Amino acid sequence: MALPSPPLFIVFNASSGGADAEQASGRVGDLLTAAGRPHEIIRVRGDEELTRATVRASHAAREAHGAVVAAGGDGTLNAVAQVVWNADQVMGVLPQGTFNYFGRTHGMPTALDDSVAALLSAREQAVTVGLLGERVFLVNASVGLYPRLLEERESAKRRFGRRRVVALLSGLGTILRGGSVLTLELSVEGQTRVVRTRTLFVGNNELQLQEIGLRHAVDVEQGRLAAITLQPVSTLRTLWLLIRGALGRLDGAEGVDSFAFDQLVVRMRRRVRWVKVALDGEVLRMPPPLVFRTAPRPLRLLLPAAEAEEGSA
């Protein structure tokens, strides 16, 4: 006799408050009910509710020997992953964001019905995650230009809608306005160097790195992290680098430095109490020095059957 499928406790971020989010969460419930899968959907609206709801889902999943599922964009997935990873529990994803790098990397479809079907047949697989201090990141973490770009992008999305074209145009505007230059002391693998850069970007997602054309996507696939720094260059030069990235040809470009690592310590050359950082699209403040590293244990992630079999091969 087959064992009953573990229940799913779904944290569904409906922060937009629109009918689409309500319809999507209702559709997920209908599909799971039709499949006979035990579940509970916990709807949240905004970041303030998200962590509390995830902790509640984590406790319920532990008691029922189930899994916590994050339904939302990469920021929602990050918040859920932080709680689930700390508790060493199993996590599933239903990608509902703008870019969905984490879900797409691990074979989860972006169409809602297809992602629910994939979740129903998913198997547990160990997945490497990154840490900034004790904070988990699934896709990327950064300081400098990128956090400011994200803040201005979110502001534009609230005004004009959560569409890719809005994100791209907002990012272009941020770059055209320029920004300050950081002087950072980077310590990696026993060596320390000082760099001047507009941004330090740390990637943990091979799909995102592949799309901009960086060879270190292979290192990330093998469980390391990749760092990218952008030297201070003119606005026109920055735009050219942006175009190269959009074309998937950033590797080898003048002014761009990248390297793979397992641990990177970043110190600010001027004294500051905190640094604005971005983790998977969410901006927060953290005290220096900043320590980026691969997590000492993986995230236990539910992957579509084909992806799980490939990962264990």
Side-chain angles (χ1 to χ4, degrees), residues 195 263-264:
V195 300
Q263 177 170 300
L264 169 66

Side-chain angles (χ1 to χ4, degrees), residues 24-195:
S25 62
R27 178 61 177 168
V28 170
D30 291 343
L31 291 170
L32 293 175
T33 298
R37 186 66 173 266
H39 67 279
E40 179 184 349
I41 295 179
I42 305 171
R43 295 176 179 86
V44 300
R45 297 185 185 280
D47 297 339
E48 292 183 1
E49 297 181 25
L50 186 54
T51 299
R52 291 196 301 270
T54 304
V55 170
R56 172 187 157 193
S58 173
H59 290 162
R62 184 172 297 282
E63 291 181 2
H65 304 286
V68 181
V69 178
D74 285 330
T76 300
L77 271 57
N78 174 280
V80 174
Q82 182 72 56
V83 174
V84 174
W85 184 82
N86 283 340
D88 195 20
Q89 291 177 285
V90 180
M91 176 177 167
V93 299
L94 292 173
Q96 294 286 293
T98 304
F99 294 98
N100 296 315
Y101 279 118
F102 185 72
R104 287 164 55 206
T105 293
H106 297 293
M108 287 299 293
T110 55
L112 186 62
D113 286 21
D114 294 339
S115 64
V116 173
L119 182 63
L120 285 168
S121 63
R123 303 178 186 176
E124 182 181 332
Q125 178 69 30
V127 171
T128 300
V129 295
L131 291 179
L132 173 50
E134 297 304 319
R135 293 293 302 264
V136 167
F137 63 95
L138 305 176
V139 179
N140 58 57
S142 59
V143 298
L145 177 65
Y146 195 62
R148 185 162 65 88
L149 184 152
L150 290 175
E151 287 185 320
E152 295 183 6
R153 186 183 77 181
E154 287 304 307
S155 177
K157 284 182 176 181
R158 286 193 292 269
R159 294 180 59 191
F160 304 112
R162 305 188 72 83
R163 299 186 299 273
R164 289 194 180 196
V165 65
V166 173
L168 292 172
L169 290 176
S170 172
L172 180 61
T174 302
I175 291 171
L176 287 174
R177 285 189 291 275
S180 59
V181 176
L182 300 173
T183 303
L184 306 176
E185 183 181 287
L186 308 182
S187 299
V188 59
E189 297 179 352
Q191 297 186 342
T192 299
R193 60 191 175 102
V194 175
V195 300

Side-chain angles (χ1 to χ4, degrees), residues 195-233:
V195 300
R196 297 182 72 250
T197 181
R198 294 189 66 188
T199 195
L200 167 68
F201 179 94
V202 176
N204 185 44
N205 184 274
E206 61 265 30
L207 177 60
Q208 186 179 49
L209 296 176
Q210 287 169 357
E211 286 188 352
I212 62 177
L214 283 180
R215 66 185 183 280
H216 291 298
V218 175
D219 296 292
V220 169
E221 187 176 12
Q222 294 173 351
R224 306 190 79 198
L225 300 174
I228 306 164
T229 60
L230 176 63
Q231 296 175 11
V233 293

